[in-house]
Amino acid sequence: MTEARPLTISDLAARTGLRPDTVRYYERVGLMPEPRRTSGDHRRYDDLAVDRLQFIRGAQRLGLRLHDIRDLLAVRDTGECPCEPAEPLLRSRIAEIDAELDRLQHLRADLVAMADQLPSATCPDPVPGTWCPPDHRVTEGRCDACSI
Amino acid sequence: MTEARPLTISDLAARTGLRPDTVRYYERVGLMPEPRRTSGDHRRYDDLAVDRLQFIRGAQRLGLRLHDIRDLLAVRDTGECPCEPAEPLLRSRIAEIDAELDRLQHLRADLVAMADQLPSATCPDPVPGTWCPPDHRVTEGRCDACSI
DNA sequence: CTAGAACCCGGAGCCGACTCCAGGGTCAAG
DNA sequence: CTTGACCCTGGAGTCGGCTCCGGGTTCTAG
């Protein structure tokens, strides 16, 4: 069977697409438990560690923060399914993402409007002056109300 | 005329919705030129400084980074309209935003799928195991391929 | 003239998630 | 046993954009 043979930290890292430093970092911040060590103080891991790191990666892919992932892991460690506490977490991340999408869509629209009018209108009179977002009207090469 | 009477750093900050610390910070990083000083070494500003900070705020509103804004200001300082160099900058920011929107939309879809299936399926067997993104099929409470 | 608000400066701290470093020690293949 | 790849630690650095601090100085209204 493919049991036993313990993994070094870089074996583990390689299997999970991380770097050894990152694994040590996860240990420091409490995502990974302290592993057993060789007599020479080198970390040795088993497949549970691989599983745990994959859980972390999966949760990260879902846009969760290490802070939240730590909480889910704590639940998981009790032997319970982390789904129950995960759902509100996911819902609130969705809300955050919606807010960010909204912000970016508005921003994008502003940028496009700005970029489109740039080559033509605003530039007749190369004078140092205010250069404004597109929702501020420009009169005679100058911005009316650039109070933001 | 509303000329002359020079502004202290907090006057300037108040007029532009910033804090004095922020203005000093902008000076440190090269966005604002060194202003003149009183004999006691206090900064004194004029309306050009207000204009400049408004330009900075406007460009920030468009999602430009201080680094880029500094470049635009450098052009503006030559007396030229910063539009010419601004356009490619804006276009590349738009591309970045598109990439980010894309990422967030995928992420959102994954989160929703995950959150929707949480209360039901995945949880029949509260065993510590892998908990995976929704595009990885789950068989008998376990994930087939959770290699990211 | 005096009180108290505002200013000065350099540097540190914050957020998140790493990443890298130096200066050692250890492991395993040959 | 040697060699070279790997590992250890604690701490610092990175990115961006501020924000705050302490200890000292200056400005200004009354």
Side-chain angles (χ1 to χ4, degrees), chain A residues 51 55 57 61-62 76 79 81 83 90-91 94 97-98 107-108 111 116 123 126 129-131 135 146 148, chain B residues 51 54-55 61-62 76 79 81 83 90-91 94 97-98 107-108 111 115-116 123 126 129-131 135 148:
Chain A
D51 187 66
F55 180 95
R57 293 277 271 164
R61 254 177 54 91
L62 289 174
R76 209 178 82 130
C81 182
C83 298
L90 295 183
R91 300 279 175 211
I94 291 169
I97 287 169
D98 284 344
L107 184 54
R108 202 202 119 92
L111 276 164
D116 284 350
C123 270
T130 308
W131 178 76
D135 52 344
C146 217
I148 284 267
Chain B
D51 186 67
Q54 281 168 347
F55 179 95
R61 253 177 54 92
L62 290 175
R76 208 177 82 128
C81 181
C83 298
L90 296 184
R91 299 283 174 205
I94 291 170
I97 288 169
D98 284 343
L107 184 54
R108 202 201 120 91
L111 276 165
D116 285 349
C123 270
T130 308
W131 177 76
D135 51 345
I148 287 278

Side-chain angles (χ1 to χ4, degrees), chain B residues 120-141:
Chain B
S120 54
T122 337
C123 270
D125 217 9
V127 175
T130 308
W131 177 76
C132 308
D135 51 345
H136 297 206
R137 281 309 105 218
V138 173
T139 326
E140 297 168 30

Side-chain angles (χ1 to χ4, degrees), chain A residues 26-120:
Chain A
Y26 285 171
E27 185 182 323
R28 264 201 299 234
V29 298
L31 291 167
M32 295 296 286
E34 300 205 358
R36 61 201 167 82
R37 304 272 190 146
T38 65
S39 55
D41 219 26
H42 286 200
R43 291 170 178 82
R44 284 297 118 99
Y45 297 93
D46 55 24
D47 287 346
L48 281 179
V50 176
D51 187 66
R52 195 178 184 84
L53 284 177
Q54 280 168 348
F55 180 95
I56 294 170
R57 293 277 271 164
Q60 254 188 327
R61 254 177 54 91
L62 289 174
L64 299 183
R65 286 171 283 238
L66 295 187
H67 175 84
D68 295 327
I69 297 172
R70 187 170 47 201
D71 296 345
L72 293 181
L73 282 165
V75 175
R76 209 178 82 130
D77 288 340
T78 66
E80 287 178 71
C81 182
C83 298
E84 197 86 19
E87 211 200 331
L89 217 57
L90 295 183
R91 300 279 175 211
S92 78
R93 285 295 288 145
I94 291 169
E96 285 174 33
I97 287 169
D98 284 344
E100 181 66 5
L101 281 171
D102 214 55
R103 198 185 69 83
L104 286 179
Q105 270 148 9
H106 281 295
L107 184 54
R108 202 202 119 92
D110 279 1
L111 276 164
V112 168
M114 189 74 196
D116 284 350
Q117 78 172 27
L118 272 192
S120 54

